């Protein structure tokens, strides 16, 4: 008789934790998702899902639940922020869907999270436990016990730390790991699409590049709202992902920008802000029956819009590994890490490089603009084959 996988505890019910519960649930592996909130904290910003992410969501059976709320941008339109000039366009829409067999979508994080939650709730092997903030973990004789801050307890044969950037579980796997402020801060706001002038009303992802700062915008909520994210270097780091943002401090990073480029920033209200951190590379992603997933294992800077995509891909690789090593979570976790580490490290590295390119100033900015202006659209899309292509979650 093949060995049966025993219950897996998942600390964190964000995008990665819920994706992992669905992936394991579809393999009939029981999970308990321990989430410190009421599963309703995803009030935040928008999210871009490249074809690698939507392909993974298709495999999880989640696409139908999110598509009604998603928007399909036609292209990424890249501009120089100082002059306002358009530099390049990367085709998305049909071109990307035909090339990669899955669409490029933009949507509100809350809509993605709600879709994942709906599918997870409908799966028999998945148990969702809200208001369970994992504060301690004990491993004893083949069993893992998670203790909640409120005195609650959960038991399983293994535990996945999907508890995000500021992971509690990570400190058990890699006590030496530390997060470092990158020197940049991000701001986000939503603007109703109905009131927008050109070029912000176009069905595009807009990307505006400038010295030490950049701006991204794209429609969410099926096209009703525009999600605006600005990233600027400077200031000091602070923990938290939903602080109220000081619009004047934000605008001071964009004073030299062309009137058109910064007019969007002046229109938006209710800014929230957070600091961008990077993690010193981990020596390992698991310790015996405890493993890390998503931002807890490999946070990425937002310049390639890939953090959630990687967490969703992780979920599929984790489930495949647990099926390949039944009844032996430590072996499954080593296999999962071997599958995922090369790709996640490449995305982390290239995200940092894209950030440096986005924020170039002086003569290097002009050289970058020239390169972008000379590239044809097909070459531009092709350059993302390694990321969006069907290479699989490994
Ligand atoms: C500016 C910016 C823009 C981004 N844009 C994109 C994008 O366009 N596309 C993309 O793919 N990615 C994007 N990302 C990255 C993406 O948001 C993250 O990579 C993704 O949310 C990671 O998922 P996760 O499940 O690992 O962590 P999270 O989504 O952070 O979820 C962690 C969960 O764990 C819970 N938790 C924490 N501690 C505990 C505990 N002790 N006990 C129980 N529960 C706990 C939290 O409440 C939360 O629900 C962006 C990130 C930033 C900063």
């Amino acid at each position: 008789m093949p060995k049966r996988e025993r219950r897996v505890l998942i600390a964190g019910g964000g995008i990665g934790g819920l994706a992992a519960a669905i992936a394991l649930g579809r393999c009939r592996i029981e999970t308990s998702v321990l989430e410190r909130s009421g599963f309703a904290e995803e009030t935040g910003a928008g999210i871009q899902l490249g074809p690698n992410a939507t392909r993974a969501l298709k495999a999880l059976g989640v696409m139908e639940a999110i598509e009604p709320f998603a928007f399909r941008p036609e292209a990424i339109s890249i501009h120089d922020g100082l002059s306002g000039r358009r530099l390049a366009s990367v085709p998305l829409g049909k071109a990307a869907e035909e090339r990669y067999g899955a669409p490029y979508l933009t949507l509100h994080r809350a809509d993605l999270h709600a879709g994942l939650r709906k599918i997870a709730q409908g799966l028999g092997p998945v148990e969702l436990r809200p208001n369970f903030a994992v504060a301690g973990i004990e491993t004893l004789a083949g069993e893992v016990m998670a203790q909640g801050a409120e005195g609650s307890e959960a038991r399983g044969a293994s535990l996945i730390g999907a508890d995000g950037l500021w992971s509690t579980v990570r400190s058990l796997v890699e006590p030496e790991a530390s997060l470092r402020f990158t020197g940049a801060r991000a701001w986000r706001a939503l603007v109703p699409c109905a009131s927008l002038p050109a070029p912000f009303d176009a069905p595009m992802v807009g990307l505006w590049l400038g010295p030490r700062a950049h701006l991204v915008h794209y429609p969410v909520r099926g096209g009703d709202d525009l999600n605006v994210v600005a990233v600027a270097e400077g200031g000091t780091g602070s923990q938290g992902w939903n602080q109220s943002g000081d619009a004047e401090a934000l605008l001071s990073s964009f004073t030299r920008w062309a009137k058109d480029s910064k007019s969007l920033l002046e229109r938006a209200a209710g800014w929230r802000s957070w600091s961008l951190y990077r993690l010193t590379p981990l020596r390992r992603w698991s310790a015996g029956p405890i493993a890390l997933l998503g931002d807890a294992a490999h946070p990425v800077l937002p310049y390639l819009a890939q953090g959630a995509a990687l967490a969703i891909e992780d979920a599929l690789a984790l489930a495949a590994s647990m099926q390949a090593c039944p009844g032996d979570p430590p072996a499954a976790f080593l296999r999962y890490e071997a599958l995922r580490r090369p790709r996640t490290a490449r995305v982390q590295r290239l995200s940092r490089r894209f950030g440096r390119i986005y924020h170039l100033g002086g003569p290097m900015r002009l050289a970058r603009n020239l390169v972008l202006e000379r590239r044809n659209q097909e070459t531009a899309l092709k350059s993302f084959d390694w990321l969006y292509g069907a290479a699989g979650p490994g």
Side-chain angles (χ1 to χ4, degrees):
M1 269 247 307
K3 281 191 184 172
R4 220 177 108 81
E5 197 59 60
R6 289 188 297 132
R7 180 172 293 276
V8 179
L9 304 179
I10 300 176
I15 293 166
L18 287 176
I22 295 168
L24 293 170
R26 298 231 182 263
C27 306
R28 299 204 168 80
I29 298 173
E30 292 183 337
T31 57
S32 296
V33 185
L34 317 173
E35 165 56 42
R36 70 178 169 194
S37 74
F39 283 97
E41 241 183 35
E42 287 290 350
T43 49
I47 200 150
Q48 303 181 62
L49 295 175
N52 58 317
T54 56
R55 190 178 313 107
L57 288 168
K58 238 187 222 179
L60 291 174
V62 176
M63 281 295 273
E64 270 183 29
I66 63 166
E67 271 190 311
F69 309 99
F71 186 84
R72 291 179 179 237
E74 285 171 13
I76 302 176
S77 184
I78 307 174
H79 304 252
D80 179 76
L82 293 192
S83 66
R85 204 172 68 241
R86 197 166 104 142
L87 302 171
S89 172
V90 181
L92 299 177
K94 259 195 178 160
E97 188 158 3
E98 275 167 17
R99 188 171 187 89
Y100 303 118
Y104 194 108
L105 301 181
T106 58
L107 72 168
H108 197 287
R109 288 176 71 94
D111 293 333
L112 171 61
H113 193 255
L116 288 164
R117 200 172 63 229
K118 183 176 159 200
I119 300 298
Q121 261 164 348
L123 291 176
V126 180
E127 178 197 32
L128 301 184
R129 292 187 61 175
N131 309 313
F132 192 130
V134 175
I137 297 167
E138 273 180 34
T139 52
L140 287 170
E143 188 173 69
V144 180
M145 185 178 74
Q147 290 136 346
E150 306 298 321
S152 38
E153 264 182 31
R155 288 166 195 269
S158 58
L159 183 141
I160 311 297
D163 50 346
L165 181 66
W166 299 95
S167 169
T168 303
V169 180
R170 190 196 296 133
S171 53
L172 289 173
V173 174
E174 269 278 33
E176 308 290 297
S178 63
L179 287 160
R180 293 203 186 131
F181 178 50
T182 58
R185 203 164 174 77
W187 279 261
R188 63 184 153 84
L190 286 176
V191 184
C193 282
S195 64
L196 288 170
F200 306 112
D201 59 348
M204 308 275 184
V205 175
L207 172 61
W208 303 71
L209 312 177
R212 293 166 60 80
H214 79 278
L215 170 67
V216 184
H217 54 82
Y218 49 85
V220 293
R221 297 254 134 105
D224 290 346
D225 291 325
L226 192 76
N227 182 62
V228 185
V229 176
V231 175
E233 294 172 27
T236 51
S238 56
Q239 198 171 332
W241 137 267
N242 201 19
Q243 296 155 14
S244 116
D246 172 3
E248 267 182 36
L250 166 65
L251 287 170
S252 69
S253 298
F254 291 83
T255 43
R256 290 172 54 214
W257 281 43
K259 198 166 168 286
D260 274 0
S261 348
K262 69 178 174 196
S263 65
L264 183 63
L265 297 175
E266 289 159 351
R267 270 171 183 273
W271 289 99
R272 314 299 292 178
S273 92
W274 68 106
S275 307
L276 300 182
Y277 280 82
R278 55 179 288 216
L279 180 69
T280 50
L282 299 184
R283 278 175 305 139
R284 55 182 190 169
W285 288 7
S286 67
I290 301 174
L292 302 172
L293 178 144
D295 276 5
H298 48 68
V300 277
L301 293 172
Y303 306 109
L304 275 175
Q306 278 291 315
L310 292 182
I312 298 164
E313 287 182 354
D314 281 355
L316 287 172
L318 176 78
S321 297
M322 293 200 89
Q323 275 199 306
C325 307
D328 190 354
F333 294 161
L334 292 175
R335 183 184 186 274
Y336 148 76
E337 179 181 342
L339 278 175
R340 294 296 296 153
R341 209 186 245 279
R343 177 165 168 88
T344 56
R346 185 174 186 195
V347 176
Q348 282 177 311
R349 202 170 55 244
L350 284 174
S351 295
R352 286 198 299 274
R353 188 188 298 166
F354 269 62
R356 287 194 295 274
I357 294 170
Y358 288 0
H359 291 188
L360 287 172
M364 293 303 286
R365 163 184 155 248
L366 301 176
R368 174 204 63 207
N369 290 356
L370 208 62
V371 171
L372 285 172
E373 281 177 312
R374 286 192 174 162
R375 232 170 24 161
N376 74 37
Q377 294 198 5
E378 206 201 330
T379 317
L381 183 58
K382 228 173 151 181
S383 68
F384 288 102
D385 283 358
W386 68 275
L387 183 59
Y388 299 147

